[in-house]
Amino acid sequence: MEDLESEVEQKQRGKLQYSLEYNFRIQELKVGVKQAVELKAMDSGGTSDPYVIVYLTSDTLNPIFNEMLHRHFQAFGSPLQVPQAEVSESTLVMQVYDFNRFAKHDIIGEVRLPLASVNLQHVIEQWSDLAVSSKVEEEHLGEICFSLRYVPSTGKLTVLILEARQLKRMDSDGLSDPFVKVHLILNRKKWKKKRTSVKKNTLSPYFNEVFVFDVPFSQIQNVDVVISVWDHDKVTKNEPIGKLFLGCRATGNQLRHWSDMLSNPRRPLAQWHILQPPDVVDKALGLKSHLKLPLHSR
C-alpha cells in the first residue's frame, strides 16, 4: 500500500521537459528547461506560479552550481562548468518551485538525473516525471523582504529594506548581528553603496530602512542591485550570510521583481527573496576587477 501511495503522490506532481547539451571541447553542460505539464496545484485557486532551480551535485561535493530559470520556462541557464572526468559522478537536479510573493516558496517536485545514465555524445531532449523532493538542498541561509520603486522621470530608485527571517546562525551563541548592504553595479563595475544599521542578537531582524539612488533612465538597463546580508563582528571581520542581485541580467524571482518594478513606475513593490551563497552570486555577476600591475624595478 505504501508503494502504491508513493506512486500516486509522484504522478500527481507533473512532468518536466528539458534538454541537455554537453560541449566536450570546453567542458560545459547547457541545460534547457522547455515546459512543464500537469503540475500539482499549490495555490488555493487550484493553480501554481512555477519556476525552476537547476544545480549540479556529486558524491564528493555540495551543490556547486545554482541557476534560477524564469517561470515562463523555455529558458536556458548559464552553462555549467563540468570537467569531463567528473561527468560520470555528477547528478543534475531540477527543482520546480511554486512562487509566492509573501510566503515561503513551496517545492512542487524535482528531477534527479545521474549524468552517467545518459549519453551526452548528442543533444538530449526528454520528459521526466517530477518526484517528491529528497530535501538534499543547499544550506538554508535565510530570506529577506524589500521593496523596489523606480520613477523614470526623476531617475530615482528607492530600495526599502523591510525585514529578514530564518537567517543562518553565525555566532557561537546561536544568533547573529545582521545588517544589510545595498550595492549598485553599473556595467559590471561597483558604483554606489549604502548599508543599514546593525540589529543585535537576532535571526529575524526588522529594519524598515530606505535608500534612494539616482539612476538615470538611460542607465537603468545596465544596473544591477546587489542585496547582501552580513553578520557584524567587532573583533573579527564581518561575514556575509547570503546575497542576491536584481536587474535585467538576473534570473528567476529576482528578474520577476525587477521586471514588475519597471512595469509599474512610481509604485513600490515588496517581495520576499531566498538568500543565495555569496560566491554563487559573485560568479553570476562577473564583476570587472581593477587589475594592479606589478612595478618592475630596474
Side-chain angles (χ1 to χ4, degrees), residues 146-150 157-160 225 227 246 254 257-259 261 264 266-271 273:
F146 54 87
S147 81
L148 299 175
R149 177 176 183 256
Y150 185 64
L157 173 65
T158 303
V159 182
L160 172 60
V225 178
I227 310 281
L246 305 98
Q254 287 83 355
H257 195 177
W258 187 258
S259 300
M261 175 197 75
N264 297 274
R266 296 178 292 280
R267 180 177 153 203
L269 293 169
Q271 186 175 311
H273 291 269

Side-chain angles (χ1 to χ4, degrees), residues 8 17 35 54 61 99 103 105 108 136 151 170 172 176 191 193 195 204 231 242 255:
V8 171
Q17 185 188 32
Q35 60 179 318
V54 177
L61 293 170
F99 170 85
H105 299 179
I108 299 173
V136 181
V151 182
M170 301 294 283
S172 57
S176 296
W191 187 31
K193 65 178 178 180
R195 57 175 281 179
S204 299
D231 176 44
L255 177 61

Side-chain angles (χ1 to χ4, degrees), residues 9 15 35-36 40 68 73 78 90 103 119 141 171 173 218 231 233 258 287 295 298:
E9 175 76 4
K15 297 179 179 182
Q35 60 179 318
K40 180 179 178 182
M68 283 192 179
F73 302 118
S78 302
S90 301
N119 181 6
L141 303 174
D171 299 340
D173 59 5
S218 60
D231 176 44
D233 199 311
W258 187 258
L287 292 181
L295 293 173
R298 298 190 179 188

Side-chain angles (χ1 to χ4, degrees), residues 71-84:
R71 60 187 293 272
H72 292 126
F73 302 118
Q74 287 292 355
F76 284 91
S78 302
L80 306 177
Q81 301 291 330
V82 196
Q84 194 172 335

Side-chain angles (χ1 to χ4, degrees), residues 6 35 137 158 167 170 177 190 201 224-225 244 262 270 273 287:
S6 174
Q35 60 179 318
E137 299 167 29
T158 303
L167 293 179
M170 301 294 283
D177 299 321
K190 290 183 179 177
N201 301 322
D224 299 308
V225 178
L244 57 95
L262 294 178
H273 291 269
L287 292 181

Side-chain angles (χ1 to χ4, degrees), residues 13-18 33-40 48 50-52 71-74 96-97 108 111 126-128 130:
R13 293 182 176 271
K15 297 179 179 182
L16 187 68
Q17 185 188 32
Y18 54 91
V33 175
K34 303 291 187 179
Q35 60 179 318
V37 297
E38 302 169 8
L39 289 181
K40 180 179 178 182
S48 294
Y51 66 93
V52 183
R71 60 187 293 272
H72 292 126
F73 302 118
Q74 287 292 355
V96 183
Y97 280 82
I108 299 173
V111 173
Q126 63 189 32
W127 287 89
S128 290
L130 291 174

Side-chain angles (χ1 to χ4, degrees), residues 31-33 49-56 65-80 93-100 105 137-138 140 142-143 243-257 271-277 280-281 284:
V31 182
V33 175
D49 296 313
Y51 66 93
V52 183
I53 287 180
V54 177
Y55 64 86
L56 201 62
F65 301 100
N66 185 354
E67 179 73 27
M68 283 192 179
L69 297 176
H70 198 269
R71 60 187 293 272
H72 292 126
F73 302 118
Q74 287 292 355
F76 284 91
S78 302
L80 306 177
V93 184
M94 292 170 281
Q95 295 179 321
V96 183
Y97 280 82
D98 176 41
F99 170 85
N100 191 317
H105 299 179
E137 299 167 29
E138 289 190 59
H140 185 74
E143 300 172 44
K243 63 168 62 174
L244 57 95
F245 82 95
L246 305 98
C248 294
R249 294 195 296 137
T251 54
N253 295 317
Q254 287 83 355
L255 177 61
R256 175 174 176 161
H257 195 177
Q271 186 175 311
W272 281 97
H273 291 269
I274 297 171
L275 291 171
Q276 299 170 14
V280 170
V281 176

